Amino acid sequence: MRAGRDPEQVKLIAVSKVFPAEAIRAAYEAGLRDFGENYVQEFEHKSMELGNLIGATFHLIGHLQTNKARRAVQLFDVIQTVDSERLAQRLEQAAATLKPGGKLEVMIEVKLSGEPSKSGAPPEELDRLVEVLRTCPHLKLTGLMTMPPFSDDPEAARPYFRRLRALAEAYKLPHLSMGMSQDFEVAVEEGATHVRIGTALFGARRPAWK
Ligand SMILES: *Cc1c(COP(=O)(O)O)cnc(C)c1O
């Protein structure tokens, strides 16, 4: 790999939002095991069609509303978009009843740009959120996730990826979910452990959904 990293250390998450269940099944048959979905309701329908894909891991990578926390815990293996204490508490409550003997893997979505439309916890709230999540007995905090502002230039994302890595190191969190079709090479150079790829795998989404 160009970045000089072992490909085994970077997980490819196939982002299947908007595409039908058959697209997930085809990707699974081609050997992919990690899938990312943005919307609880959309995935609810697809997961019924999919049934049990042995060994597959489903990541929620879109914003999660607290009132859908319970459903999300039933449907997903990893929630990458925890961004508030309130959501952390709802997830803990849901995991306590749905996974009594286990733990739900979660990551914190960090908002590193000032864009009002973006979700994620601002960096100044991380101290508190990390502390809260670490005291939740049914949640396992493994890393940070971010989405830099959209740009045609992949290099524009580099400072955001660098910043996320520094934050993850400061909190001793091993996972870094960063990089999409456009900028995943830069993300891998900056230490991504999970890249989230939609367009480059499944083709363009209908613009209205993007
Ligand atoms: C849609 C989406 C992706 C995938 O984006 P592509 O540019 O299609 O690779 C990755 N992460 C998040 C959070 C997304 O919403």
Side-chain angles (χ1 to χ4, degrees), residues 189-208:
E189 285 165 6
E190 296 301 333
T193 61
H194 295 61
V195 292
R196 310 180 307 264
I197 311 294
T199 311
L201 282 171
F202 296 109
R205 292 179 289 276
R206 281 169 295 159

Side-chain angles (χ1 to χ4, degrees), residues 13-17 19 36-39 60-63 80-81 109 145-147 150 177 179-184 195-205 209-210:
I13 300 179
V15 176
S16 41
K17 65 175 170 235
F19 288 92
E37 285 277 338
N38 288 61
Y39 309 101
L60 179 66
I61 61 167
H63 177 66
Q80 295 199 1
T81 48
E109 179 175 7
M145 176 268 203
T146 201
M147 211 166 151
F150 177 80
S177 173
M180 321 200 320
S181 297
Q182 258 252 104
D183 53 20
F184 70 90
V195 292
R196 310 180 307 264
I197 311 294
T199 311
L201 282 171
F202 296 109
R205 292 179 289 276
W209 276 87
K210 201 170 175 194

Side-chain angles (χ1 to χ4, degrees), residues 1-7 9-10 185 188-189:
M1 205 178 264
R2 195 180 73 182
R5 292 187 51 205
D6 177 356
Q9 288 171 353
V10 186
E185 287 181 307
V188 169
E189 285 165 6

Side-chain angles (χ1 to χ4, degrees), residues 118-138:
K118 282 269 166 62
S119 51
E124 57 274 17
E125 285 173 22
L126 271 183
D127 263 1
R128 176 81 189 129
L129 195 48
V130 167
E131 187 187 316
V132 166
L133 285 166
R134 285 187 166 148
T135 58
C136 290
H138 300 92

Side-chain angles (χ1 to χ4, degrees), residues 32 77 89 124 139 153:
L32 294 179
D77 305 291
Q89 280 151 4
E124 57 274 17
L139 303 181
D153 176 13

Side-chain angles (χ1 to χ4, degrees), residues 49-125:
E49 287 179 53
L50 282 172
N52 185 23
L53 296 182
I54 294 161
T57 300
F58 291 94
H59 303 251
L60 179 66
I61 61 167
H63 177 66
L64 178 58
Q65 291 169 284
T66 48
N67 64 358
K68 297 210 175 91
R70 194 180 159 81
R71 198 68 193 110
V73 174
Q74 288 170 315
L75 289 165
F76 292 95
D77 305 291
V78 184
I79 310 272
Q80 295 199 1
T81 48
V82 179
D83 61 358
S84 71
E85 279 184 58
R86 212 161 80 89
L87 179 57
Q89 280 151 4
R90 291 296 172 85
L91 290 170
E92 168 59 27
Q93 284 164 4
T97 52
L98 295 165
K99 300 180 185 281
K103 281 183 189 245
L104 171 70
E105 183 180 342
V106 299
M107 299 189 204
I108 297 173
E109 179 175 7
V110 187
K111 178 177 163 165
L112 295 175
S113 66
E115 294 167 293
S117 61
K118 282 269 166 62
S119 51
E124 57 274 17
E125 285 173 22

